[in-house]
Amino acid sequence: MWDRILDRMLRDFIKARALALTYPDGTRRVYGEADATPIEVTLHDPTLPRRIVTNTDLAVGEAYMDGRLTIGQDDLEGFLACATANAGIGDDVWWRRATALIFKARRRFDQWNPAHRARENVAHHYDLSSELYDLFLDADRQYSCGYFPDPSMSLDAAQEAKKHHIAGKLLLVPDMEVLEIGCGWGGMALTLARDYGARVLGVTLSEEQHRIATQRAADVGLQNRVQFELRDYREVTGEFDRVVSIGMFEHVGVPHYVEYFRNVRDRLKEDGVALIHTIGRAYVPGHTSPFIQKYIFPGGYCPALSEMSSAVEKSGLYSCDVEVWRLHYAETLRHWHDRFVANEDRARALYDDRFCRMWRYYLKAAEVTFRYNRQCVFQYQLAKRQEAVPLSRDYLYRHPKRDRLAAE
């Protein structure tokens, strides 16, 4: 029975490209375009058809991790590109509509992130071995989208360009006080202090990130200008000239959006400016992949612009600028995936083969989602007063110091 239901699902879903599926009983069926070379997929576990029918995203990811689903020549990119491209054009497929309703009903619970739950969610991902992140990130450990004005740029150059592009939007003056919500391993805070003369307070919920960021500041003699605290952003008090947050808003949770932006407003001085950099969706509100929710980013969600804007409207802040980055994150993830694969033996020594398969699946699935399924990055510039930011973007593109630093 489950084989027949899965067959029907795939016939309705796979319209672009082609997929050949070998069922556990040895039956092989081809779906999609007749003249396309199919991606070969084999199911080795007789329970998989039922699992895939009842929870497709999670079951497929887990089966790949466990080796119960294999792909011809291990063409993970081809398989995920086929699935994601069809997901991008197949919203009206009957079983996807039913699935969306189920996840919509769970959304508020899945994204409820009070402080104690937020700490647990952060620890799940960011307190993994620090050596793991050395295997695929740039030298500054930027774990967010790089900026590729030139597609041939290296990962390190693109991450430097990202930091200076954001610094430009912050309109910094030496000795300004900056709050960074979600400071990661400290790279952005150290850049703002070293290159722009800012005084920065960075907050994180990750013990490992806090430890490394604090050590980095001491190593370069910036401990008097940069302070890192192990603290929830909702616990910070006082006012700052600037607030910046890069890759943290994805962990806030929709039920907390209004609270988040009101907190940003309360932390800004009257002439203050904030820059929020987040993954988003160029589509209507949705839900997080169950595989990503369980194994990678529990409590995470990438917002639609409408969800962010609605919360901003209730916060008392002015929307000064919104910039949309499209394929920049796809390129970033391509670099991360290739670097991880090149160092996979070292990752396997840290964890095991199942972990490596999980991590490759996560990185490649994220990349193809940016390429084929309406995922993007939003940079949202906010202020208490609309006059706090120049009336045109000209200031962003005539900044000799930033341009020189990015070039170097």
Side-chain angles (χ1 to χ4, degrees):
M1 179 187 75
W2 294 108
D3 287 20
R4 291 197 304 271
I5 298 174
L6 179 57
D7 175 65
R8 170 68 188 278
M9 288 172 60
L10 291 173
R11 290 192 185 284
D12 291 340
F13 178 63
I14 305 292
K15 301 299 184 184
R17 310 190 184 202
L19 176 76
L21 181 65
T22 299
Y23 287 79
D25 65 1
T27 302
R28 179 179 179 272
R29 297 190 177 100
V30 181
Y31 307 93
E33 299 173 3
D35 57 349
T37 301
I39 300 294
E40 296 284 345
V41 177
T42 302
L43 306 183
H44 302 280
D45 180 348
T47 70
L48 271 179
R50 174 182 58 81
R51 293 173 184 270
I52 293 172
V53 167
T54 55
N55 196 340
T56 308
D57 180 275
L58 180 61
V60 170
E62 288 183 331
Y64 180 79
M65 285 168 54
D66 296 336
R68 293 178 291 118
L69 177 155
T70 57
I71 305 166
Q73 299 179 329
D74 202 22
D75 185 8
L76 182 59
E77 179 169 6
F79 168 66
L80 289 171
C82 177
T84 305
N86 281 282
I89 61 175
D91 286 334
D92 291 332
V93 176
W94 59 274
W95 61 270
R96 295 197 73 216
R97 290 198 304 270
T99 300
L101 289 173
I102 294 170
F103 287 120
K104 184 177 181 180
R106 288 181 50 93
R107 222 167 75 111
R108 191 165 188 86
F109 172 77
D110 289 339
Q111 295 174 31
W112 180 65
N113 285 329
H116 72 276
R117 191 174 183 186
R119 286 188 176 90
E120 294 171 358
N121 291 340
V122 164
H124 177 94
H125 191 89
Y126 296 100
D127 284 343
L128 294 169
S129 169
S130 62
E131 294 177 56
L132 170 68
Y133 294 100
D134 289 334
L135 302 182
F136 67 95
L137 297 182
D138 64 298
D140 196 44
R141 283 191 175 217
Q142 290 294 303
Y143 197 20
S144 62
C145 180
Y147 184 45
F148 290 85
D150 177 355
S152 67
M153 292 171 73
S154 68
L155 177 63
D156 287 72
Q159 294 293 11
E160 281 295 304
K162 181 266 301 290
K163 289 185 292 179
H164 296 299
H165 190 69
I166 290 173
K169 290 186 177 184
L170 290 172
L171 298 150
L172 293 165
V173 173
D175 289 325
M176 276 188 168
E177 296 180 328
V178 180
L179 169 64
E180 184 179 11
I181 300 174
C183 61
W185 291 278
M188 187 69 195
L190 295 172
T191 296
L192 296 183
R194 181 188 65 237
D195 297 337
Y196 297 91
R199 298 184 180 276
V200 187
L201 169 63
V203 295
T204 179
L205 292 177
S206 166
E207 294 183 4
E208 187 71 2
Q209 288 184 335
H210 175 258
R211 178 186 67 79
I212 292 174
T214 301
Q215 186 61 54
R216 290 182 69 188
D219 289 345
V220 295
L222 286 172
Q223 64 271 33
N224 293 328
R225 281 198 166 267
V226 181
Q227 181 180 357
F228 297 107
E229 295 184 358
L230 194 62
R231 191 194 301 193
D232 189 279
Y233 73 94
R234 289 163 282 202
E235 299 170 355
V236 178
T237 58
E239 293 184 337
F240 299 79
D241 298 291
R242 301 291 185 260
V243 174
V244 63
S245 184
I246 305 168
M248 179 273 176
F249 189 74
E250 301 91 326
H251 304 284
V252 169
V254 175
H256 305 277
Y257 281 4
V258 173
E259 176 188 22
Y260 174 89
F261 283 112
R262 285 178 177 167
N263 194 280
V264 170
R265 177 203 62 198
D266 292 345
R267 301 286 73 78
L268 283 175
K269 296 179 181 177
E270 195 60 27
D271 286 325
V273 176
L275 191 286
I276 312 301
H277 170 116
T278 179
I279 300 172
R281 60 185 70 225
Y283 196 52
V284 298
H287 63 272
T288 301
S289 147
F291 176 83
I292 296 296
Q293 176 82 22
K294 180 176 180 178
Y295 288 100
I296 309 298
F297 294 117
Y301 173 70
C302 301
L305 189 58
S306 58
E307 294 173 294
M308 292 185 70
S309 298
S310 176
V312 169
E313 290 164 4
K314 297 178 178 69
S315 72
L317 291 165
Y318 277 97
S319 298
C320 297
D321 188 77
V322 179
E323 185 176 4
V324 182
W325 292 6
R326 286 156 288 131
L327 291 171
H328 295 271
Y329 220 146
E331 289 303 305
T332 304
L333 284 154
R334 178 178 63 82
H335 281 282
W336 289 350
H337 173 270
D338 292 351
R339 286 176 170 222
F340 180 80
V341 169
N343 290 293
E344 194 164 342
D345 287 345
R346 294 168 59 192
R348 194 172 291 107
L350 291 171
Y351 293 98
D352 56 25
D353 188 61
R354 185 174 187 267
F355 179 91
C356 290
R357 293 171 70 84
M358 176 188 75
W359 209 258
R360 279 193 283 113
Y361 190 90
Y362 145 58
L363 292 174
K364 188 54 67 175
E367 178 191 340
V368 300
T369 301
F370 278 95
R371 292 199 188 280
Y372 305 116
N373 198 17
R374 303 166 184 162
Q375 200 103 303
C376 61
V377 168
F378 299 130
Q379 284 197 345
Y380 217 132
Q381 187 190 52
L382 302 162
K384 279 188 173 180
R385 297 175 60 250
Q386 58 179 325
E387 298 89 350
V389 174
L391 299 184
S392 79
R393 270 188 181 166
D394 290 353
Y395 71 95
L396 272 177
Y397 304 108
R398 44 182 175 79
H399 195 306
K401 179 179 180 181
R402 188 177 71 252
D403 293 344
R404 176 178 57 78
L405 288 166
E408 288 175 357

PDB file of all heavy atoms in Angstrom, residues 36 75 86 384:
ATOM      1  N   ALA A  36      14.959  13.496 -19.883  1.00  0.00           N
ATOM      2  CA  ALA A  36      16.010  13.900 -18.939  1.00  0.00           C
ATOM      3  C   ALA A  36      16.686  12.667 -18.350  1.00  0.00           C
ATOM      4  O   ALA A  36      16.060  11.617 -18.161  1.00  0.00           O
ATOM      5  CB  ALA A  36      15.425  14.760 -17.822  1.00  0.00           C
ATOM      6  N   ASP A  75      25.328  11.427  -5.896  1.00  0.00           N
ATOM      7  CA  ASP A  75      25.066  12.750  -6.474  1.00  0.00           C
ATOM      8  C   ASP A  75      24.032  13.481  -5.624  1.00  0.00           C
ATOM      9  O   ASP A  75      22.882  13.698  -6.020  1.00  0.00           O
ATOM     10  CB  ASP A  75      24.573  12.598  -7.914  1.00  0.00           C
ATOM     11  CG  ASP A  75      24.392  13.944  -8.614  1.00  0.00           C
ATOM     12  OD1 ASP A  75      24.793  14.978  -8.039  1.00  0.00           O
ATOM     13  OD2 ASP A  75      23.833  13.958  -9.730  1.00  0.00           O
ATOM     14  N   ASN A  86      11.483  21.107  -7.955  1.00  0.00           N
ATOM     15  CA  ASN A  86      10.069  20.730  -8.031  1.00  0.00           C
ATOM     16  C   ASN A  86       9.264  21.307  -6.872  1.00  0.00           C
ATOM     17  O   ASN A  86       8.096  21.671  -7.050  1.00  0.00           O
ATOM     18  CB  ASN A  86       9.938  19.203  -8.083  1.00  0.00           C
ATOM     19  CG  ASN A  86      10.219  18.647  -9.463  1.00  0.00           C
ATOM     20  OD1 ASN A  86       9.383  18.710 -10.355  1.00  0.00           O
ATOM     21  ND2 ASN A  86      11.428  18.118  -9.656  1.00  0.00           N
ATOM     22  N   LYS A 384      15.060  55.267  14.768  1.00  0.00           N
ATOM     23  CA  LYS A 384      13.975  55.929  15.492  1.00  0.00           C
ATOM     24  C   LYS A 384      13.490  57.164  14.748  1.00  0.00           C
ATOM     25  O   LYS A 384      12.312  57.507  14.803  1.00  0.00           O
ATOM     26  CB  LYS A 384      14.447  56.312  16.899  1.00  0.00           C
ATOM     27  CG  LYS A 384      14.420  55.194  17.916  1.00  0.00           C
ATOM     28  CD  LYS A 384      14.731  55.756  19.304  1.00  0.00           C
ATOM     29  CE  LYS A 384      14.540  54.696  20.374  1.00  0.00           C
ATOM     30  NZ  LYS A 384      14.830  55.233  21.726  1.00  0.00           N
TER      31      LYS A 384
END
